[in-house]
Amino acid sequence: MQNKSLVSISDLSKEEILEILASSADFERNPNRKTFEGKVIATLFFEPSTRTRLSFETAVLRLGGSVIGFSDAATSSSVKGETLNDTIRMVACYADAIVMRHNIEGAAQLAAEISPVPIVNAGDGSNQHPSQTLLDLYSIFKTQGHLENLNICLVGDLKYGRTVHSLVMAMAHFNPTFKFIAPKEMSLPEEYKIFCKKNKIQFSESNIFNNNFNDADILYMTRVQRERFSNLDEYERVKDLYILENKMLLSSKSNLRILHPLPRVNEISPDVDSNPKAYYFQQAQNGLYVRQAILTKVLS
Ligand code: CP
């Protein structure tokens, strides 16, 4: 990790990832402890969030710590023109660690370079979302019993989906086979395909969804990220191309689990929710334990 900050999933070695997953299991068994008494964690959310902010804040509260921060940048002095640099310098005077979500790619890296206290990247533009990836790995481990040699099918907005980018990088430690399903306009950026080739990860690409995930162990659905499109006509054209319905799961493997970082819009029909293969709400709950483990590690 960079000076105890977690900016990118690539900051963590395989051993550190496995250590965080083991610690997460420990927190799941007992999430209420008082190890953060006297500690203050700042949550700075320059972009909207439900799960990430509330699970980080719950993680702190269940550990006996306190939370300061904002959930809407419009209530911070950034609207008066304060730079991110100055905001981080100020908040670091008040808090022991800073959890930050920002719309600009690289904002978390900048914050980590200037902050005297650890920074945890809670999502920077379409770049990285490492705490989501750790909870995705924890969810994959819990549902499959291991992380090695899995067939993982990623569907939807692979261009702007930062959770996809972080997951592809993290799974490199575990010899996955990826299938990337997206229309051309939302296909995985070239840099991640180069990463796969360099790391000898097998992958295929397709724009066909129906009957194209029957060999998958994990089906990772994603939302089309409206907020990242400069051309909303393009968003309208692609937003409902892939919708998972319950009847499409009939030929899927018995161990298949459906993950989604959430929020969903239309890409998973509500009739899937009661299928035992749907795991996205438990996945979000896992986020609490994983974020307790992350904060404990950065403050250790
Ligand atoms: N998965 C995720 O980042 O959700 P939120 O945007 O609600 O935090």
Side-chain angles (χ1 to χ4, degrees):
M1 289 172 111
Q2 304 179 36
N3 296 324
K4 292 280 182 188
S5 289
L6 177 58
V7 172
S8 164
I9 196 68
S10 60
D11 294 342
L12 298 172
S13 65
K14 180 176 182 178
E15 289 67 34
E16 285 176 309
I17 289 174
L18 294 175
E19 179 199 320
I20 289 172
L21 301 193
S23 172
S24 304
D26 199 32
F27 280 113
E28 181 166 3
R29 284 186 288 273
N30 177 15
N32 298 309
R33 329 172 173 187
K34 297 297 167 219
T35 52
F36 274 22
E37 259 172 14
K39 300 237 182 277
V40 177
I41 310 298
T43 56
L44 311 185
F45 277 69
F46 293 86
E47 270 196 335
S49 166
T50 296
R51 276 146 294 275
T52 309
R53 184 175 67 81
L54 294 179
S55 60
F56 265 117
E57 294 187 356
T58 306
V60 175
L61 296 175
R62 287 195 181 278
L63 294 174
S66 305
V67 176
I68 60 169
F70 52 81
S71 57
D72 179 357
T75 64
S76 80
S77 285
S78 62
V79 289
K80 301 175 200 162
E82 185 166 56
T83 62
L84 179 62
N85 191 320
D86 285 0
T87 301
I88 295 296
R89 278 174 190 275
M90 287 316 312
V91 176
C93 297
Y94 312 137
D96 298 294
I98 297 173
V99 178
M100 184 180 83
R101 172 171 288 184
H102 204 285
N103 56 310
I104 296 176
E105 294 173 24
Q109 178 64 38
L110 172 76
E113 283 169 13
I114 57 172
S115 175
V117 302
I119 298 288
V120 178
N121 182 5
D124 60 327
S126 56
N127 186 32
Q128 283 272 315
H129 195 348
S131 69
Q132 176 71 44
T133 297
L134 288 163
L135 79 88
D136 292 344
L137 294 178
Y138 185 58
S139 300
I140 294 170
F141 183 83
K142 275 179 69 178
T143 59
Q144 305 297 320
H146 61 93
L147 292 169
E148 303 283 347
N149 306 319
L150 293 169
N151 285 337
I152 301 183
C153 181
L154 298 109
V155 181
D157 188 348
L158 309 187
K159 179 179 180 185
Y160 295 118
R162 55 194 174 199
T163 67
V164 168
H165 304 160
S166 296
L167 186 59
V168 166
M169 294 176 80
M171 285 305 301
H173 297 297
F174 305 105
N175 192 36
T177 300
F178 288 126
K179 188 178 283 180
F180 300 122
I181 299 184
K184 205 175 169 52
E185 305 88 322
M186 294 191 295
S187 65
L188 192 72
E190 205 53 37
E191 65 189 278
Y192 296 101
K193 291 184 222 167
I194 293 169
F195 173 88
C196 286
K197 285 175 191 159
K198 269 192 184 152
N199 287 280
K200 300 189 172 29
I201 298 171
Q202 291 185 59
F203 70 90
S204 58
E205 291 185 279
S206 175
N207 58 7
I208 295 166
F209 183 38
N210 283 6
N211 292 319
N212 202 6
F213 52 85
N214 290 343
D215 59 348
D217 302 302
I218 294 292
L219 178 60
Y220 195 94
M221 300 294 297
T222 63
R223 171 180 70 93
V224 178
Q225 310 238 322
R226 184 180 190 276
E227 64 275 27
R228 315 263 179 239
F229 280 74
S230 50
N231 179 348
L232 282 185
D233 289 339
E234 191 177 319
Y235 167 76
E236 288 296 330
R237 204 167 52 71
V238 296
K239 71 182 171 70
D240 290 330
L241 283 180
Y242 303 135
I243 298 177
L244 180 66
E245 294 174 358
N246 203 30
K247 62 184 181 211
M248 296 163 71
L249 294 163
L250 283 174
S251 305
S252 62
K253 286 173 73 173
S254 58
N255 64 309
L256 176 83
R257 290 297 176 272
I258 303 151
L259 302 187
H260 189 309
L262 303 179
R264 71 171 149 183
V265 186
N266 291 328
E267 59 279 2
I268 299 180
S269 165
D271 72 357
V272 178
D273 294 358
S274 54
N275 189 312
K277 294 176 180 175
Y279 193 74
Y280 26 94
F281 293 118
Q282 296 100 312
Q283 178 190 1
Q285 183 178 349
N286 289 336
L288 168 62
Y289 317 122
V290 171
R291 286 171 174 134
Q292 287 186 305
I294 292 169
L295 288 172
T296 298
K297 183 167 176 64
V298 301
L299 284 172
S300 64

